[in-house]
């Protein structure tokens, strides 16, 4: 079950998973891939994770720089919640 407890800025900063940044009421992280062909595999894994946990992030691929960017927030709350932190940790484990 989702924990939609809105976190304070301090709580977010203390629990921010490795490599993630907090700005604009969302968590953000970018991944660089040496080869373009590796990017879709990562995105597909992320989509499966989102489906499994019923929490949907914004994902963008920049084929020029071979970068995938993920942003996550709880849209219904308009802020970062514990569910977002959990999702960020799980996507880190996916790699």
């Amino acid at each position: 079950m989702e924990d939609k407890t809105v976190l304070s800025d301090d709580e977010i900063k203390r629990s921010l998973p490795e490599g993630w940044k907090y700005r604009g009421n969302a968590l953000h992280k970018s991944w660089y891939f040496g080869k373009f062909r590796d990017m879709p595999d990562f995105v597909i894994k992320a989509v499966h994770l989102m489906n499994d946990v019923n929490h949907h992030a914004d994902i963008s691929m920049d084929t020029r720089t071979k970068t995938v960017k993920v942003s996550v927030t709880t849209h219904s709350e308009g802020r970062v919640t514990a569910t977002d932190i959990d999702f960020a940790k799980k996507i880190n484990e996916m790699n």
Side-chain angles (χ1 to χ4, degrees):
M1 180 168 209
E2 288 185 70
D3 182 353
K4 291 190 177 186
T5 303
V6 174
L7 302 176
S8 70
D9 289 351
D10 286 340
E11 290 172 316
I12 293 166
K13 290 172 185 170
R14 279 196 309 271
S15 57
L16 205 56
E18 181 181 343
W20 288 83
K21 294 182 177 9
Y22 168 58
R23 69 177 185 280
N25 292 327
L27 305 179
H28 306 272
K29 185 172 180 178
S30 297
W31 285 263
Y32 171 76
F33 294 86
K35 297 179 181 174
F36 168 77
R37 69 175 175 253
D38 296 330
M39 295 170 63
D41 291 337
F42 177 83
V43 171
I44 290 168
K45 288 179 187 176
V47 168
H48 286 291
L49 173 63
M50 288 187 288
N51 188 55
D52 291 347
V53 300
N54 192 32
H55 197 64
H56 303 96
D58 295 327
I59 299 178
S60 64
M61 286 179 24
D62 184 331
T63 58
R64 183 181 47 82
T65 62
K66 299 180 192 99
T67 304
V68 174
K69 295 179 182 179
V70 177
S71 298
V72 64
T73 189
T74 301
H75 296 286
S76 62
E77 303 303 318
R79 296 274 308 174
V80 172
T81 66
T83 297
D84 300 310
I85 297 291
D86 291 342
F87 177 83
K89 288 176 182 176
K90 287 178 182 170
I91 204 166
N92 274 1
E93 292 169 2
M94 189 182 77
N95 235 1

